[in-house]
Coordinates of all heavy atoms in Angstrom, one line a residue:
A130 N 139.2 89.3 -4.5 CA 139.8 88.7 -3.3 C 140.5 87.3 -3.5 O 141.6 87.1 -3.1 CB 138.7 88.6 -2.2
E131 N 139.8 86.5 -4.3 CA 140.4 85.2 -4.7 C 141.7 85.4 -5.4 O 142.6 84.6 -5.2 CB 139.4 84.4 -5.5 CG 138.3 83.7 -4.7 CD 137.5 82.8 -5.6 OE1 137.2 83.1 -6.7 OE2 137.2 81.7 -5.1
A132 N 141.7 86.3 -6.4 CA 142.9 86.5 -7.2 C 144.0 87.0 -6.3 O 145.2 86.5 -6.4 CB 142.6 87.5 -8.3
A133 N 143.7 87.9 -5.4 CA 144.8 88.4 -4.5 C 145.3 87.3 -3.6 O 146.5 87.2 -3.3 CB 144.2 89.6 -3.7
A134 N 144.4 86.5 -3.1 CA 144.8 85.4 -2.2 C 145.7 84.4 -2.9 O 146.6 83.9 -2.3 CB 143.5 84.7 -1.7
A135 N 145.4 84.2 -4.2 CA 146.2 83.2 -5.0 C 147.6 83.8 -5.2 O 148.6 83.0 -5.4 CB 145.5 82.9 -6.3
E136 N 147.7 85.1 -5.3 CA 149.0 85.7 -5.7 C 149.9 85.9 -4.5 O 151.2 86.0 -4.6 CB 148.8 87.0 -6.4 CG 148.5 87.0 -7.8 CD 149.7 86.5 -8.6 OE1 150.9 86.6 -8.1 OE2 149.6 86.1 -9.8
A137 N 149.3 86.1 -3.3 CA 150.1 86.6 -2.1 C 150.9 85.5 -1.5 O 150.5 84.4 -1.2 CB 149.1 87.1 -1.1
A138 N 152.2 85.8 -1.2 CA 153.1 84.9 -0.4 C 152.6 85.0 1.1 O 151.9 85.8 1.5 CB 154.5 85.4 -0.5
P139 N 153.1 84.0 1.9 CA 152.7 84.0 3.3 C 153.2 85.4 3.9 O 154.3 85.8 3.8 CB 153.5 82.9 3.9 CG 153.7 81.9 2.7 CD 153.8 82.8 1.5
G140 N 152.2 86.0 4.6 CA 152.5 87.3 5.3 C 152.7 88.5 4.4 O 153.2 89.5 4.8
A141 N 152.3 88.3 3.1 CA 152.5 89.4 2.1 C 151.6 90.6 2.5 O 150.6 90.5 3.2 CB 152.1 88.9 0.7
V142 N 151.9 91.7 1.9 CA 151.1 92.9 2.0 C 150.1 92.9 0.8 O 150.6 92.8 -0.4 CB 151.9 94.2 2.0 CG1 151.0 95.4 1.8 CG2 152.7 94.3 3.3
V143 N 148.8 93.0 1.0 CA 147.8 93.2 0.0 C 147.3 94.6 0.1 O 146.6 94.9 1.1 CB 146.7 92.1 0.0 CG1 145.7 92.3 -1.1 CG2 147.3 90.7 -0.1
W144 N 147.5 95.4 -0.9 CA 147.1 96.8 -0.8 C 145.9 97.0 -1.8 O 146.1 97.0 -3.0 CB 148.3 97.7 -1.2 CG 148.2 99.1 -0.8 CD1 147.3 99.7 0.0 CD2 149.1 100.1 -1.2 NE1 147.6 101.0 0.2 CE2 148.7 101.3 -0.6 CE3 150.2 100.2 -2.0 CZ2 149.3 102.5 -0.7 CZ3 150.9 101.4 -2.2 CH2 150.5 102.5 -1.5
V145 N 144.7 97.3 -1.2 CA 143.5 97.4 -1.9 C 143.2 98.9 -2.1 O 143.4 99.7 -1.1 CB 142.3 96.7 -1.2 CG1 141.1 96.7 -2.1 CG2 142.7 95.3 -0.9
H146 N 142.7 99.3 -3.3 CA 142.5 100.7 -3.5 C 141.1 101.0 -4.0 O 140.6 100.4 -4.9 CB 143.5 101.2 -4.6 CG 144.9 101.3 -4.1 ND1 145.4 102.5 -3.6 CD2 145.8 100.4 -4.0 CE1 146.6 102.3 -3.2 NE2 146.9 101.0 -3.4
D147 N 140.4 101.9 -3.3 CA 139.2 102.6 -3.6 C 137.9 101.8 -3.4 O 137.9 100.6 -3.3 CB 139.3 103.2 -5.0 CG 139.2 104.7 -4.9 OD1 139.0 105.3 -3.8 OD2 139.3 105.4 -6.0
Y148 N 136.9 102.7 -3.4 CA 135.5 102.3 -2.9 C 134.9 101.1 -3.7 O 134.0 100.4 -3.2 CB 134.6 103.5 -2.9 CG 134.5 104.1 -4.3 CD1 133.3 103.9 -5.0 CD2 135.4 105.0 -4.8 CE1 133.2 104.4 -6.3 CE2 135.3 105.5 -6.0 CZ 134.2 105.2 -6.8 OH 134.0 105.8 -8.0
N149 N 135.2 101.0 -5.0 CA 134.6 99.9 -5.7 C 135.1 98.5 -5.3 O 134.5 97.5 -5.8 CB 134.7 100.1 -7.2 CG 136.0 100.7 -7.6 OD1 137.0 100.2 -7.1 ND2 136.1 101.6 -8.6
L150 N 136.0 98.5 -4.4 CA 136.6 97.2 -3.9 C 136.4 97.1 -2.4 O 137.2 96.5 -1.7 CB 138.0 97.0 -4.3 CG 138.3 97.0 -5.9 CD1 139.8 96.9 -6.2 CD2 137.5 95.8 -6.5
W151 N 135.4 97.8 -1.9 CA 135.2 97.8 -0.4 C 135.0 96.4 0.2 O 135.4 96.3 1.4 CB 133.9 98.6 -0.2 CG 134.1 100.1 0.1 CD1 135.3 100.6 0.6 CD2 133.2 101.1 0.0 NE1 135.1 102.0 0.8 CE2 133.8 102.3 0.4 CE3 131.9 101.2 -0.5 CZ2 133.2 103.6 0.4 CZ3 131.2 102.4 -0.5 CH2 131.9 103.6 -0.1
L152 N 134.5 95.5 -0.5 CA 134.3 94.2 0.2 C 135.5 93.2 0.1 O 135.5 92.2 0.7 CB 133.0 93.5 -0.5 CG 131.7 94.3 -0.4 CD1 130.6 93.4 -0.9 CD2 131.4 94.7 1.1
V153 N 136.5 93.6 -0.7 CA 137.7 92.7 -0.8 C 138.3 92.4 0.5 O 138.7 91.2 0.8 CB 138.6 93.3 -1.9 CG1 140.0 92.5 -1.8 CG2 138.0 93.3 -3.3
P154 N 138.6 93.4 1.4 CA 139.3 93.0 2.6 C 138.6 92.0 3.5 O 139.3 91.1 4.0 CB 139.4 94.4 3.4 CG 139.3 95.4 2.3 CD 138.4 94.8 1.3
G155 N 137.3 92.1 3.6 CA 136.6 91.1 4.4 C 136.7 89.7 3.8 O 136.9 88.7 4.6
Y156 N 136.5 89.6 2.5 CA 136.6 88.3 1.9 C 138.1 87.7 2.0 O 138.3 86.6 2.3 CB 136.2 88.3 0.4 CG 134.8 88.7 0.1 CD1 134.4 89.4 -1.0 CD2 133.8 88.3 1.0 CE1 133.1 89.7 -1.3 CE2 132.5 88.6 0.7 CZ 132.1 89.3 -0.4 OH 130.8 89.6 -0.6
L157 N 139.0 88.6 1.8 CA 140.4 88.2 1.8 C 140.8 87.7 3.2 O 141.6 86.8 3.3 CB 141.3 89.4 1.3 CG 142.8 89.1 1.2 CD1 143.1 88.0 0.2 CD2 143.5 90.4 0.8
R158 N 140.4 88.4 4.2 CA 140.7 88.0 5.6 C 140.3 86.6 5.8 O 140.9 85.8 6.5 CB 140.1 89.0 6.6 CG 140.4 88.7 8.0 CD 141.9 88.8 8.3 NE 142.4 90.2 8.2 CZ 143.7 90.5 8.1 NH1 144.6 89.5 8.1 NH2 144.1 91.7 8.1
K159 N 139.1 86.2 5.3 CA 138.6 84.8 5.5 C 139.5 83.8 4.6 O 139.7 82.7 5.1 CB 137.1 84.7 5.0 CG 136.2 85.5 5.9 CD 134.8 85.5 5.3 CE 133.8 86.3 6.2 NZ 132.5 86.4 5.6
L160 N 139.8 84.2 3.4 CA 140.6 83.3 2.6 C 142.1 83.2 3.0 O 142.7 82.1 3.0 CB 140.6 83.9 1.1 CG 139.3 83.8 0.4 CD1 139.3 84.7 -0.9 CD2 138.9 82.4 0.1
R161 N 142.7 84.3 3.5 CA 144.1 84.3 3.9 C 144.3 85.2 5.1 O 144.7 86.3 5.1 CB 144.9 85.0 2.7 CG 145.0 84.1 1.5 CD 145.9 82.9 1.7 NE 147.2 83.3 2.1 CZ 148.2 83.6 1.3 NH1 148.0 83.6 0.0 NH2 149.4 83.9 1.8
P162 N 144.0 84.6 6.3 CA 144.2 85.3 7.6 C 145.6 85.7 7.9 O 145.8 86.6 8.7 CB 143.6 84.3 8.6 CG 143.7 83.0 8.0 CD 143.5 83.2 6.5
D163 N 146.6 85.2 7.1 CA 148.0 85.5 7.4 C 148.5 86.8 6.7 O 149.5 87.3 7.1 CB 148.9 84.3 6.9 CG 148.8 84.2 5.3 OD1 147.7 83.8 4.9 OD2 149.8 84.4 4.6

Side-chain angles (χ1 to χ4, degrees):
E131 280 190 318
E136 277 290 344
V142 170
V143 179
W144 198 8
V145 188
H146 289 265
D147 242 357
Y148 60 98
N149 39 42
L150 299 176
W151 265 335
L152 301 186
V153 170
Y156 295 148
L157 184 60
R158 182 63 68 195
K159 294 174 182 177
L160 292 167
R161 290 288 303 275
D163 62 297

